[in-house]
Amino acid sequence: MKILIINGPNLNMTGKREPEIYGSETLDDINAQIKAYAEKKKCSALFFQSNCEGAIIDAIQGFDGDGIILNAGAYTHYSYAISDALKMKKCKKVEVHMSNVFAREDFRSKSVLSPVVDGVICGFGKDSYMLAIDAVIGR
Ligand code: DQA
Protein backbone atom coordinates (compact mmCIF):
# COMPACT_ATOMS: atom_id res chain seq x y z
CA MET A 1 0.00 0.00 0.00
CA LYS A 2 1.17 3.49 -0.85
CA ILE A 3 0.26 6.23 1.62
CA LEU A 4 0.94 9.96 1.34
CA ILE A 5 1.38 11.91 4.57
CA ILE A 6 0.80 15.63 4.06
CA ASN A 7 1.61 18.27 6.65
CA GLY A 8 0.42 21.83 6.18
CA PRO A 9 1.43 25.26 7.45
CA ASN A 10 3.70 25.64 10.46
CA LEU A 11 4.09 21.91 10.93
CA ASN A 12 7.64 22.29 9.58
CA MET A 13 8.29 24.11 12.89
CA THR A 14 7.25 21.11 14.99
CA GLY A 15 9.77 20.68 17.80
CA LYS A 16 10.28 24.42 18.17
CA ARG A 17 6.66 25.55 17.97
CA GLU A 18 4.62 25.33 21.20
CA PRO A 19 6.42 22.15 22.39
CA GLU A 20 3.96 21.84 25.29
CA ILE A 21 1.28 21.17 22.64
CA TYR A 22 3.14 19.55 19.75
CA GLY A 23 6.11 17.94 21.54
CA SER A 24 9.83 18.55 21.16
CA GLU A 25 10.60 16.20 18.27
CA THR A 26 11.06 17.70 14.81
CA LEU A 27 8.86 16.81 11.85
CA ASP A 28 11.82 14.89 10.37
CA ASP A 29 12.09 12.85 13.61
CA ILE A 30 8.36 12.11 13.51
CA ASN A 31 8.39 11.28 9.79
CA ALA A 32 11.24 8.79 10.34
CA GLN A 33 9.11 7.04 12.98
CA ILE A 34 6.04 7.04 10.71
CA LYS A 35 8.15 5.59 7.87
CA ALA A 36 9.43 2.78 10.13
CA TYR A 37 5.90 2.09 11.40
CA ALA A 38 4.53 1.98 7.83
CA GLU A 39 7.29 -0.39 6.72
CA LYS A 40 6.49 -2.71 9.62
CA LYS A 41 2.93 -2.75 8.28
CA LYS A 42 4.20 -3.45 4.74
CA CYS A 43 3.26 0.02 3.48
CA SER A 44 5.34 2.63 1.76
CA ALA A 45 4.96 6.13 3.20
CA LEU A 46 5.62 9.26 1.15
CA PHE A 47 5.95 12.65 2.82
CA PHE A 48 5.05 16.18 1.78
CA GLN A 49 5.01 19.41 3.76
CA SER A 50 4.11 22.88 2.60
CA ASN A 51 3.01 26.15 4.09
CA CYS A 52 1.16 26.96 0.85
CA GLU A 53 -2.46 26.05 0.20
CA GLY A 54 -1.94 25.60 -3.57
CA ALA A 55 1.05 23.28 -3.10
CA ILE A 56 -1.03 21.08 -0.77
CA ILE A 57 -3.80 20.96 -3.39
CA ASP A 58 -1.26 20.00 -6.09
CA ALA A 59 0.05 17.20 -3.85
CA ILE A 60 -3.49 15.86 -3.29
CA GLN A 61 -4.38 16.06 -6.99
CA GLY A 62 -1.10 14.45 -8.09
CA PHE A 63 -1.19 11.49 -5.72
CA ASP A 64 -1.91 8.06 -7.13
CA GLY A 65 -2.06 5.58 -4.26
CA ASP A 66 -4.10 4.00 -1.50
CA GLY A 67 -4.42 6.62 1.20
CA ILE A 68 -3.88 10.24 2.13
CA ILE A 69 -3.18 11.23 5.73
CA LEU A 70 -3.53 14.98 6.04
CA ASN A 71 -2.69 17.35 8.84
CA ALA A 72 -3.68 20.60 7.15
CA GLY A 73 -2.81 22.73 10.21
CA ALA A 74 -4.91 25.89 10.38
CA TYR A 75 -6.16 25.36 6.80
CA THR A 76 -8.32 22.63 8.33
CA HIS A 77 -10.58 25.29 9.76
CA TYR A 78 -11.29 27.32 6.61
CA SER A 79 -9.82 25.97 3.36
CA TYR A 80 -12.71 25.09 1.06
CA ALA A 81 -10.11 24.75 -1.71
CA ILE A 82 -8.38 21.87 0.09
CA SER A 83 -11.80 20.42 0.92
CA ASP A 84 -12.75 20.45 -2.79
CA ALA A 85 -9.45 18.80 -3.74
CA LEU A 86 -9.99 16.02 -1.19
CA LYS A 87 -13.58 15.53 -2.32
CA MET A 88 -12.37 14.51 -5.80
CA LYS A 89 -10.03 11.82 -4.42
CA LYS A 90 -11.33 8.28 -4.27
CA CYS A 91 -8.60 6.78 -2.04
CA LYS A 92 -8.89 6.45 1.76
CA LYS A 93 -8.55 9.87 3.43
CA VAL A 94 -7.77 10.51 7.09
CA GLU A 95 -7.66 13.95 8.72
CA VAL A 96 -5.11 14.09 11.52
CA HIS A 97 -4.23 16.50 14.31
CA MET A 98 -1.58 16.06 16.95
CA SER A 99 -3.48 18.13 19.49
CA ASN A 100 -7.06 17.61 20.63
CA VAL A 101 -8.57 20.42 18.58
CA PHE A 102 -11.84 20.15 20.54
CA ALA A 103 -10.12 21.02 23.81
CA ARG A 104 -8.58 24.25 22.47
CA GLU A 105 -9.83 27.57 21.07
CA ASP A 106 -13.36 27.48 19.59
CA PHE A 107 -12.21 28.10 16.02
CA ARG A 108 -10.28 24.80 16.07
CA SER A 109 -13.46 22.79 16.71
CA LYS A 110 -14.67 23.53 13.19
CA SER A 111 -13.16 21.55 10.30
CA VAL A 112 -14.19 22.07 6.69
CA LEU A 113 -12.25 18.91 5.78
CA SER A 114 -13.99 16.43 8.11
CA PRO A 115 -17.11 16.10 5.89
CA VAL A 116 -15.01 14.91 2.91
CA VAL A 117 -12.66 12.43 4.61
CA ASP A 118 -13.28 8.89 5.82
CA GLY A 119 -12.42 9.77 9.41
CA VAL A 120 -10.57 12.02 11.82
CA ILE A 121 -7.91 11.23 14.43
CA CYS A 122 -6.78 13.90 16.87
CA GLY A 123 -5.22 14.37 20.25
CA PHE A 124 -2.59 11.62 20.33
CA GLY A 125 0.49 13.65 19.42
CA LYS A 126 2.71 11.94 16.83
CA ASP A 127 0.79 8.70 17.45
CA SER A 128 -2.17 10.30 15.61
CA TYR A 129 -0.23 9.61 12.39
CA MET A 130 0.46 5.95 13.28
CA LEU A 131 -3.22 5.45 14.15
CA ALA A 132 -4.08 6.98 10.78
CA ILE A 133 -1.84 4.42 9.03
CA ASP A 134 -3.83 1.67 10.78
CA ALA A 135 -7.04 3.39 9.68
CA VAL A 136 -5.92 3.42 6.03
CA ILE A 137 -4.92 -0.26 6.16
CA GLY A 138 -8.12 -1.30 7.94
CA ARG A 139 -8.71 -4.64 9.63
C1 DQA B 1 -3.06 21.04 14.29
C2 DQA B 1 -4.22 21.82 14.96
C3 DQA B 1 -4.53 23.08 14.18
O1 DQA B 1 -5.60 23.78 14.79
C4 DQA B 1 -3.32 23.97 14.13
O2 DQA B 1 -3.59 25.13 13.37
C5 DQA B 1 -2.10 23.29 13.64
C6 DQA B 1 -1.84 21.93 14.11
C7 DQA B 1 -2.63 19.82 15.11
O3 DQA B 1 -1.88 19.00 14.58
O4 DQA B 1 -3.01 19.69 16.28
O5 DQA B 1 -1.28 23.85 12.94
O6 DQA B 1 -3.51 20.58 13.03
Side-chain angles (χ1 to χ4, degrees):
M1 270 195 174
K2 198 163 103 184
I3 302 173
L4 175 64
I5 293 102
I6 302 177
N7 278 288
N10 299 309
L11 287 151
N12 57 317
M13 299 305 287
T14 304
K16 290 197 181 107
R17 167 199 189 202
E18 299 177 273
E20 65 289 356
I21 297 175
Y22 302 111
S24 53
E25 291 178 284
T26 66
L27 190 60
D28 282 347
D29 293 336
I30 294 170
N31 284 347
Q33 292 166 52
I34 298 168
K35 188 172 188 288
Y37 186 78
E39 277 167 7
K40 215 167 73 185
K41 301 268 176 171
K42 311 256 177 287
C43 293
S44 77
L46 308 170
F47 297 91
F48 180 76
Q49 190 279 327
S50 179
N51 294 324
C52 303
E53 190 177 27
I56 293 168
I57 292 165
D58 288 343
I60 293 168
Q61 287 182 1
F63 178 64
D64 184 16
D66 304 290
I68 294 176
I69 294 171
L70 171 63
N71 183 348
Y75 284 140
T76 303
H77 312 301
Y78 64 91
S79 176
Y80 295 104
I82 293 176
S83 174
D84 282 350
L86 283 172
K87 206 172 186 174
M88 285 186 269
K89 245 25 218 187
K90 296 292 171 238
C91 65
K92 200 69 143 324
K93 296 165 282 188
V94 185
E95 176 186 335
V96 157
H97 303 284
M98 287 195 271
S99 65
N100 179 355
V101 285
F102 301 102
R104 301 180 62 192
E105 301 95 319
D106 279 353
F107 77 89
R108 295 186 205 275
S109 299
K110 158 105 179 148
S111 167
V112 298
L113 308 183
S114 299
V116 299
V117 295
D118 294 280
V120 182
I121 297 168
C122 77
F124 297 98
K126 66 182 178 185
D127 288 342
S128 292
Y129 296 97
M130 321 293 172
L131 292 166
I133 298 238
D134 288 339
V136 170
I137 297 168
R139 286 178 179 269

